[in-house]
Amino acid sequence: MILHADSIPDGEILQADVCIVGGGAVGLQMARRLIAAGMQVVIAESGEEEASQRAQDLNIGTQSGRNAGGLRDIRLRQLGGTMHLWGGNCRPLDPIDFQAREWVPNSGWPLSYADMAPYFEAAHGLLRLEEFAYRPEAPSLVTDPGPAQPFEETLFRLTRFVPGTRAPFLGEFAQYHAEELRNSDRLRVLVGANVSQIFLTEDRRSVRELYALTFQGRELHLRAKAYVFACGGIETARLLLASREDMPAGIGNHGDSLGRYFMEHPHGLAAFLIAEKSRVAALRPFSPGIRVGDAVIHRRIRLADHTQRGLGLLNMIFQLIAVNMKPHEENQYETHFRALEATVDDPAQWQRFYVVFLAEQFPSRDSRVTLGAETDFFGMPRADLNWQVGDLDFKTVSTALSLLGQHVFTAPDFRMKGHVASTTKDWIVGHGAHHLGTTRMSATPRDGVVDRDCRIHGLSNGFCAGSSVFPTAGMSNPMLTSLAIGLRLARHLEASLPFMPAPDPGLAPRRPREFEESAASPAMA
């Protein structure tokens, strides 16, 4: 059932087998799997069923590094989460992304691609992406694959419906599964429930309960056998950092890794391209793509594994976007296109394209989420995001662009002009609203926050799920991998929950220290 937290009596203790903080894609799909296995689940979602200004204002934060977009509106506090803003791009990570690469600092997962493969396929099925295939049967542009060819063609799959249509978007799980969420007697979805503190047991080895507030001032106490934090790459770190009552450095911050290793997917305009119209049919799988059933399939140009290894580069892709303009229409890049068209006899017989890059970035300890000086409506410190882009990130894109001109767009029916700065400092990059890595997965507490099963190091029953646990980013949009991680954790909880102790019903509920002190002060006076 879906309940507004303000409908729950003040001070209520709610118990379940599993408590999930975050009602986005990962939290909802985990809950569906767990209740299907017979478990009682509570989801605490800060937002409401519809978008609201007061919930969005909780996202406000500061930035002290590169611009990663406005923190208030780049994420959505609403049941269903940021999937309401999602563009629908899907692709699993590559096997190389899981490997420890000596040329990529801090790389390597404590999992392999083989460990994740069945969950990739399960997540793929949830998104109705047709056949699980991300490699084209035959290339249409990169036609000479081999050791001398630095690129290969790869596929991205897009969900058929997009946000804003009246039909339920296949990615908006809150709408698509609305009847199931409302009618299940094993599930309570609390909207408007703002978890602000994680309390631990006396021995600091388990989560004891969660403390939540509503906008009307009600206090709720959530207790479970297991707790899952699935709030995204910024908010999950923020909640763990702000929970300082029992661990002054934050929950799971044994190696000073909590909030660090923040990653995005740097992307932007790499080049201008014109192609003779006789080649446009071969480029159609790249732009606008081919519809197959419930999916739209796009081809993109990927930097091959052997090129990454040989040149010490990160994973990345180039995407082609056809520029379809009305007669006599101009755009801000008209000068660049006209310079290319001046090199051909009849520009009317050539099609314009943007060449866009989307790249992995290396996980840097200095790229991080910390707590700022300001607080939100509930007194919780706001996040400060310091997104850093490094020399390896820039080297990857600039080198790959040079190779693209040398190995792909070499025929006389192509003309390409690069559009990338000459130094890292001058490089202008966009963001993808992909927030990764701040509670990274690691083999030891020294190197991360959660283990290979997404369990917070040092805690028996606290887990993180979603994009925050990525040790490296790869170049694939993170939704499919985030869902796969959540499904794998759900399977782990199905197996382990019967052996976890139930919460002690005799324990008195805890409140944050400042609340207890303010309540006691009148009597003390």
Side-chain angles (χ1 to χ4, degrees), residues 478-507:
M479 181 57 71
L480 188 65
T481 300
S482 295
L483 284 171
I485 287 170
L487 295 177
R488 185 175 183 274
L489 174 54
R491 175 64 63 85
H492 174 76
L493 291 175
E494 287 178 35
S496 59
L497 208 69
F499 306 100
M500 292 184 176
D504 182 352
L507 290 176

Side-chain angles (χ1 to χ4, degrees), residues 283-302:
L283 297 180
R284 192 161 291 124
F286 293 86
S287 180
I290 306 297
R291 174 165 288 178
V292 178
D294 277 336
V296 176
I297 301 174
H298 280 188
R299 292 194 187 206
R300 296 177 187 174
I301 303 167
R302 175 179 176 265

